[in-house]
Amino acid sequence: MKTKPILFSTPMVQAILEGRKRQTRRIVKNNNSAYGAKWNELHFESAVSERIVSEEEYLKVPRQWDDTRHRVFSKIEKGDILWIRETIRVGAWDEEGNMAFDYKASPEIKNTPWCFMGDYYEKEVIKITDELASKGVKPNNQGQYEWEAGASPLNWKPSIFMPKAACRIFLEVTNVRV
């Protein structure tokens, strides 16, 4: 069992949260087979002779290989845990390395839990303060930025940049079909 990230758009995250989405499709890319198959170099296995043939050989004599099947290996297996990457923005942060996030798929949630960000924190705070300065947002007398919960002036970050610590949805894979 492995834990792996998976990207979802805002409408798809909303469908998952509402219980309308229970499966997803992904393209199987380089299948990393034991036979060294590359993306553009498909291999077929004969059930009769147990011999591996190239795509070129298969296409030359397709009637001879009627009982063949394509070997495809998925990177996701039954029992794996997928953590959902979704569109977020920083809603608040503190001096101890914690951040709270706004989730685009759930604008009604105003007070999200604090997440300890570790190494990610320092780089992100520099980016945040630069972005706030470029937007003309000024800190108060104590050097802190203030706004209403859920109304962060920061830009939304695409799901590809979401750190694992900010994840709120984990899904277990119950079946894989290729």
Side-chain angles (χ1 to χ4, degrees):
M1 178 177 73
K2 297 178 184 174
T3 304
K4 301 175 184 181
I6 187 166
L7 297 173
F8 278 106
S9 66
T10 299
M12 293 299 103
V13 172
Q14 290 170 334
I16 289 169
L17 293 172
E18 293 168 6
R20 295 183 289 118
K21 183 169 184 60
R22 301 195 40 87
Q23 67 180 0
T24 189
R25 294 186 181 117
R26 296 293 191 255
I27 295 173
V28 177
K29 294 185 180 177
N30 185 355
N31 61 18
N32 298 323
S33 74
Y35 306 105
K38 296 178 184 171
W39 176 242
N40 58 357
E41 210 177 276
L42 301 176
H43 289 78
F44 296 86
E45 181 179 351
S46 167
V48 173
S49 66
E50 295 301 316
R51 183 171 78 88
I52 305 300
V53 298
S54 68
E55 180 183 22
E56 183 178 280
E57 186 179 351
Y58 172 79
L59 294 175
K60 283 182 185 175
V61 284
R63 290 189 197 104
Q64 183 181 349
W65 303 98
D66 287 341
D67 58 349
T68 61
R69 64 188 183 278
H70 180 68
R71 289 189 73 124
V72 178
F73 301 93
S74 174
K75 293 180 182 180
I76 307 293
E77 297 175 356
K78 183 177 178 180
D80 286 352
I81 303 296
L82 302 177
W83 61 276
I84 306 299
R85 283 186 156 171
E86 58 181 304
T87 304
I88 60 169
R89 68 179 172 199
V90 175
W93 67 95
D94 65 14
E95 299 295 322
E96 298 167 7
N98 297 309
M99 289 185 173
F101 295 91
D102 295 338
Y103 298 93
K104 193 171 186 180
S106 302
E108 70 281 356
I109 299 175
K110 302 293 184 202
N111 295 314
T112 58
W114 290 96
C115 307
F116 180 72
M117 302 308 294
D119 296 337
Y120 177 84
Y121 178 82
E122 290 180 27
K123 295 175 193 172
E124 194 61 23
V125 168
I126 292 169
K127 291 178 189 175
I128 291 167
T129 53
D130 289 346
E131 183 180 336
L132 290 170
S134 70
K135 292 184 173 201
V137 179
K138 305 274 186 201
N140 63 17
N141 294 337
Q142 289 84 26
Q144 297 176 342
Y145 295 91
E146 294 181 0
W147 49 77
E148 294 292 321
S152 174
L154 296 167
N155 294 332
W156 290 105
K157 292 177 72 172
S159 56
I160 190 75
F161 300 113
M162 179 182 171
K164 186 176 182 179
C167 179
R168 63 184 177 142
I169 305 170
F170 293 86
L171 303 174
E172 182 181 358
V173 177
T174 58
N175 191 15
V176 177
R177 294 183 307 218
V178 181

Short mmCIF file of all heavy atoms in Angstrom, two decimals, residues 8 15 21 53 61 70 87 103 117 124 128 130 164 166 168:
data_model
loop_
_atom_site.label_atom_id
_atom_site.label_comp_id
_atom_site.label_asym_id
_atom_site.label_seq_id
_atom_site.Cartn_x
_atom_site.Cartn_y
_atom_site.Cartn_z
N PHE A 8 -7.28 16.94 -8.88
CA PHE A 8 -8.68 17.07 -9.23
C PHE A 8 -9.01 18.55 -9.38
O PHE A 8 -8.51 19.39 -8.64
CB PHE A 8 -9.60 16.47 -8.16
CG PHE A 8 -9.76 14.98 -8.27
CD1 PHE A 8 -9.14 14.14 -7.38
CD2 PHE A 8 -10.53 14.43 -9.28
CE1 PHE A 8 -9.29 12.77 -7.47
CE2 PHE A 8 -10.69 13.06 -9.38
CZ PHE A 8 -10.06 12.23 -8.48
N ALA A 15 -17.80 17.30 -6.35
CA ALA A 15 -18.55 16.07 -6.59
C ALA A 15 -18.14 14.97 -5.62
O ALA A 15 -18.99 14.21 -5.14
CB ALA A 15 -18.35 15.61 -8.03
N LYS A 21 -19.22 11.53 -7.03
CA LYS A 21 -18.10 10.97 -7.78
C LYS A 21 -17.47 9.85 -6.97
O LYS A 21 -17.02 10.06 -5.85
CB LYS A 21 -17.07 12.06 -8.07
CG LYS A 21 -15.91 11.58 -8.90
CD LYS A 21 -15.07 12.74 -9.38
CE LYS A 21 -13.96 12.29 -10.30
NZ LYS A 21 -14.40 11.62 -11.49
N VAL A 53 6.20 -10.65 -28.23
CA VAL A 53 6.45 -10.17 -29.59
C VAL A 53 6.31 -8.66 -29.62
O VAL A 53 5.60 -8.08 -28.81
CB VAL A 53 5.47 -10.82 -30.61
CG1 VAL A 53 5.64 -12.32 -30.66
CG2 VAL A 53 4.05 -10.46 -30.29
N VAL A 61 1.38 -10.18 -38.65
CA VAL A 61 0.58 -11.41 -38.70
C VAL A 61 -0.50 -11.39 -37.62
O VAL A 61 -0.47 -12.18 -36.69
CB VAL A 61 1.49 -12.65 -38.53
CG1 VAL A 61 2.27 -12.94 -39.78
CG2 VAL A 61 2.43 -12.49 -37.35
N HIS A 70 -2.76 -7.48 -24.32
CA HIS A 70 -1.78 -6.42 -24.07
C HIS A 70 -1.46 -6.36 -22.59
O HIS A 70 -2.36 -6.32 -21.76
CB HIS A 70 -2.36 -5.08 -24.56
CG HIS A 70 -1.44 -3.93 -24.36
ND1 HIS A 70 -0.28 -3.81 -25.06
CD2 HIS A 70 -1.52 -2.87 -23.54
CE1 HIS A 70 0.33 -2.69 -24.67
NE2 HIS A 70 -0.41 -2.11 -23.75
N THR A 87 -7.35 23.14 -5.55
CA THR A 87 -7.01 24.56 -5.58
C THR A 87 -7.18 25.16 -4.19
O THR A 87 -8.24 25.03 -3.58
CB THR A 87 -7.90 25.29 -6.60
OG1 THR A 87 -7.75 24.65 -7.87
CG2 THR A 87 -7.51 26.75 -6.72
N TYR A 103 -10.14 26.60 0.77
CA TYR A 103 -10.30 25.62 -0.30
C TYR A 103 -11.34 26.13 -1.28
O TYR A 103 -12.47 26.41 -0.89
CB TYR A 103 -10.72 24.26 0.28
CG TYR A 103 -9.69 23.69 1.22
CD1 TYR A 103 -9.76 23.93 2.60
CD2 TYR A 103 -8.63 22.94 0.74
CE1 TYR A 103 -8.80 23.42 3.46
CE2 TYR A 103 -7.66 22.42 1.58
CZ TYR A 103 -7.75 22.66 2.94
OH TYR A 103 -6.81 22.17 3.79
N MET A 117 3.65 23.21 8.50
CA MET A 117 4.19 23.17 7.14
C MET A 117 5.67 22.79 7.03
O MET A 117 6.17 22.56 5.96
CB MET A 117 3.95 24.52 6.46
CG MET A 117 2.49 24.90 6.40
SD MET A 117 1.42 23.63 5.71
CE MET A 117 2.00 23.57 4.05
N GLU A 124 7.28 29.91 1.64
CA GLU A 124 5.92 30.34 1.34
C GLU A 124 5.60 31.69 1.97
O GLU A 124 4.95 32.53 1.35
CB GLU A 124 4.91 29.28 1.79
CG GLU A 124 3.54 29.47 1.22
CD GLU A 124 3.48 29.41 -0.30
OE1 GLU A 124 4.35 28.81 -0.94
OE2 GLU A 124 2.52 29.98 -0.86
N ILE A 128 4.21 34.99 0.14
CA ILE A 128 2.95 35.59 0.59
C ILE A 128 3.12 37.08 0.87
O ILE A 128 2.34 37.90 0.40
CB ILE A 128 2.42 34.87 1.85
CG1 ILE A 128 1.96 33.46 1.51
CG2 ILE A 128 1.30 35.66 2.50
CD1 ILE A 128 1.72 32.58 2.72
N ASP A 130 5.43 39.08 -0.21
CA ASP A 130 5.70 39.79 -1.48
C ASP A 130 4.41 40.02 -2.26
O ASP A 130 4.19 41.10 -2.81
CB ASP A 130 6.70 39.01 -2.34
CG ASP A 130 8.11 39.02 -1.77
OD1 ASP A 130 8.38 39.83 -0.87
OD2 ASP A 130 8.93 38.21 -2.24
N LYS A 164 1.25 18.39 0.69
CA LYS A 164 0.52 17.29 1.30
C LYS A 164 -0.06 17.66 2.66
O LYS A 164 -1.14 17.21 3.03
CB LYS A 164 1.42 16.06 1.43
CG LYS A 164 0.69 14.83 1.90
CD LYS A 164 1.60 13.62 1.91
CE LYS A 164 0.83 12.39 2.35
NZ LYS A 164 1.69 11.20 2.35
N ALA A 166 -1.50 20.23 3.55
CA ALA A 166 -2.76 20.96 3.41
C ALA A 166 -3.90 20.06 2.95
O ALA A 166 -5.05 20.51 2.88
CB ALA A 166 -2.59 22.11 2.42
N ARG A 168 -6.97 17.61 2.76
CA ARG A 168 -8.08 17.31 3.67
C ARG A 168 -8.86 16.09 3.23
O ARG A 168 -9.72 15.60 3.95
CB ARG A 168 -9.02 18.51 3.75
CG ARG A 168 -9.67 18.86 2.43
CD ARG A 168 -10.53 20.09 2.53
NE ARG A 168 -11.07 20.41 1.22
CZ ARG A 168 -12.28 20.87 1.01
NH1 ARG A 168 -13.09 21.07 2.03
NH2 ARG A 168 -12.68 21.15 -0.21
#
